[in-house]
Amino acid sequence: MSVRPAVEPLLLNRELSLLKFNERVLAMAEHPDTPLLERLRYVCIVSSNLDEFFEIRISSLKEQLRVAPAQVGDDGLSPAEAFEDVQQAVHELVTRQYGMLNEEILPRLRTKGIALHSATDWDDAQQAWALACFHREVMPLLTPIGLDPAHPFPRVYNKSLNFIVPLSGIDAFGRKASIAIVQAPRALPRLLKMPEAISGYRHGYVLLTALIRAFVGELFPGLEVQGCYQWRVTRNSDLFVDEEEVTNLRHALQGELTQRNFGAAVRLEIDRSTPPALEAFLQREFQLSGADTYRCNGPVNLSRLMQLCSVDDCADLLFPGHQASVPEPFAQVGNKPAELFAAIAASDRLLHHPYQSFQPVIDFLTAAAVDPDVVAIKQTIYRTGEDSELMRLLMAAARAGKEVTVVVELMARFDEQTNINWAARLEEVGAHVVYGVVGHKTHAKMALVLRREKGRIRRYGHLGTGNYHPRTARLYTDFGLLTADPRLCEDMDKVFSQLTGLGARRALKSLLQSPFTLHDGVVSMIRAEAKAARAGKKARIMAKMNSLLEPIVIQELYKASQDGVKIDLIIRGVCALRSGVPGLSENIKVRSIVGRFLEHSRVFYFFDEGKESVYLSSADWMDRNFFRRVELAFPIYDKALKKRVIHEAFLVALRDNQLAWQQRPDGSYAPVRSRAQPVNLHRVLDDALRRTG
């Protein structure tokens, strides 16, 4: 083992920081005050997060091991050291995850009438039902593959459910049986509902895994089945498309998507009872080591249990129902085009989701689609979902003869196929569809409406920190601004021109834009606060985002801290900055908030000698957001709205003592607790915005 440096590096490891975030998510499952089915949901979320972690981050780390094994990163770790630390942390996290599921959640769910029936516990009636279910619904779809020279190891889809079955005996053709692989088709449900009369519980379920393990012998008549063990392999799912070389990005991406499910293996999950010889066999097949292998005390894909969180008649086991408020004037005008546009023209309108409904954004686009005075709509799309009312509105507007331009980001990770499908449908109805700028993902969130009023064109815009995705708008905290301010709308039009056409960079008056001005703008504002502090003036920085990784910005924050600037950072997920280090960052505090809603908004505050500059943004402070994406940060000009943003994004969050975690100098986190009155950010804002509309 290599010798670690005695001096702590200035930056924290990205992968380890991301795992710390998942520890905080799992802590929600461990908290006794979290409703029982929500505890299960958090366990499933961690499972889903770890899938993507291996598909993207571990794949990247393994590539570093291959191409630059000796290179030490800014975190002071070589790829080998980072990989060792990460694998140890994941193994510990997975052990906690299955322990919480088996020792706490599933037993307590059973007392509430929700049961997973294990084959070892079936009575005669349950056994008969399970066998009939297997023959009727499962067995016809299974294709067992006996491994021999004529039947090599099958191609295995990324994250698919599989079984390895050791056999003995001679088959009908005189072949000696040894090992068979059974792949569970994706068409089969992973949870099967058992009738209440047979189950004895209101909600009784049997895992597909249990059915196959119990009756796998039905697939191999005349042979002795010596065991049946579930397993799953996770593959590198990061797409590679050489955007500089392709002539048609959409066609190239479609070709790459077909291979995503067969990338290099990065993780093997197996049943904890799998014999060592079979474990070694699978490791050899996928070229994985013991460190890459995870023995699971339960289903190898825990996220499949998310289905249990949707059972009927269990509202008492979930968070209380949440109904987002519709603020004035939208509650009155709805999608009445003239009244809605008049309301936006009168003053900027701020929306804070999910406390406030996403419906005003839909109403805005509905009005644009049906209003005869609207001549054009321009929209960016990063993620919107397979069933999108917003996309249907854009299609309706195009059919109505309006000029509809949609910048669709085809490289939105794991949403590529959905976006390709929408792009094709939009083109079919006459919309102009472009795919942004080669080499730069279009991550900015904006919609622009051009309306003819009194013989001239007036612009109306929506700018946001989150995606145009109604489902996530009910779960993610994001800000959106509806505006007719010429300073913002004219800049938006310039950005659309850059995305759809060619030409020199156009100067923007109000918006900060990646990859051009956002990084320099942020650095400049940090330095201005540091300069004010050195002059003995009040200086203050607050920033809220998902991730903080970009090293230059971190260095500038360190310098500002040393100059006396008080800095509060609310970073939900990955944070490479070390807070509270004497002589380096003692004036910086980092907290993470994990609760019912996913903290997603990006908000930047600078005291700015009393002017209090506030920006909302689509961008985290990461290299990719500053330099390899098209991102926007937009100022809040209206004083009342600015005050709202400061209060809702920062002041309440900095008082939270229920959902907040404080970062320690070593990168670990401790829950924030105090004897003061309990403050739960999500509840406080929900109550406040419901009262004010």
Side-chain angles (χ1 to χ4, degrees), residues 390-429:
L390 180 146
M391 298 300 273
R392 287 192 288 270
L393 288 171
L394 293 175
M395 293 166 64
R399 290 192 192 97
K402 301 182 189 301
E403 289 293 312
V404 176
T405 302
V406 186
V407 182
V408 179
E409 179 48 64
L410 295 185
M411 299 293 286
R413 185 176 291 150
F414 300 119
D415 276 334
E416 298 93 347
Q417 190 60 58
T418 298
N419 287 0
I420 287 172
N421 294 341
W422 280 121
R425 294 177 65 181
L426 286 163
E427 287 178 335
E428 288 174 359
V429 297

Side-chain angles (χ1 to χ4, degrees), residues 464-506:
T465 67
N467 298 303
Y468 291 102
H469 197 309
R471 185 183 67 81
T472 58
R474 295 193 294 270
L475 302 172
Y476 294 8
T477 68
D478 276 302
F479 284 101
L481 184 72
L482 287 162
T483 181
D485 190 315
R487 293 169 293 183
L488 298 174
C489 292
E490 288 174 13
D491 276 3
M492 292 170 66
D493 219 350
K494 290 178 182 178
V495 175
F496 273 113
S497 294
Q498 289 177 346
L499 294 173
T500 61
L502 298 171
R505 180 173 130 191
R506 303 179 69 180

Side-chain angles (χ1 to χ4, degrees), residues 186-314:
R186 297 191 173 190
L188 285 174
R190 269 39 181 179
L191 279 172
L192 296 97
K193 182 77 181 286
M194 183 181 284
E196 184 175 350
I198 297 174
S199 167
Y201 291 85
R202 277 188 306 154
H203 303 285
Y205 291 87
V206 174
L207 286 163
L208 175 65
T209 301
L211 282 181
I212 293 178
R213 289 189 65 177
F215 305 117
V216 70
E218 304 285 316
L219 302 174
F220 305 100
L223 299 179
E224 181 183 350
V225 174
Q226 298 176 330
C228 179
Y229 309 98
Q230 59 174 324
W231 58 275
R232 182 172 86 132
V233 67
T234 309
R235 297 182 179 276
N236 181 347
S237 296
D238 215 1
L239 298 179
F240 175 75
V241 176
D242 190 343
E243 296 173 272
E244 300 289 350
E245 297 296 327
V246 300
T247 57
N248 188 315
L249 180 59
R250 192 166 94 190
H251 290 169
L253 185 58
Q254 284 176 309
E256 185 72 10
L257 282 172
T258 61
Q259 296 303 312
R260 165 177 272 170
N261 286 316
F262 300 105
V266 293
R267 175 181 60 170
L268 175 64
E269 294 168 283
I270 60 175
D271 190 288
R272 67 169 181 166
S273 62
T274 305
L278 294 181
E279 175 185 5
F281 174 79
L282 291 172
Q283 288 170 348
R284 289 193 300 272
E285 180 64 34
F286 295 106
Q287 299 180 338
L288 295 173
S289 68
D292 301 312
T293 304
Y294 291 78
R295 286 183 170 267
C296 301
N297 186 15
V300 292
N301 185 356
L302 290 181
S303 60
R304 297 290 190 178
L305 298 180
M306 187 76 81
Q307 180 182 336
L308 294 177
C309 301
S310 301
V311 296
D312 298 328
D313 306 322
C314 292

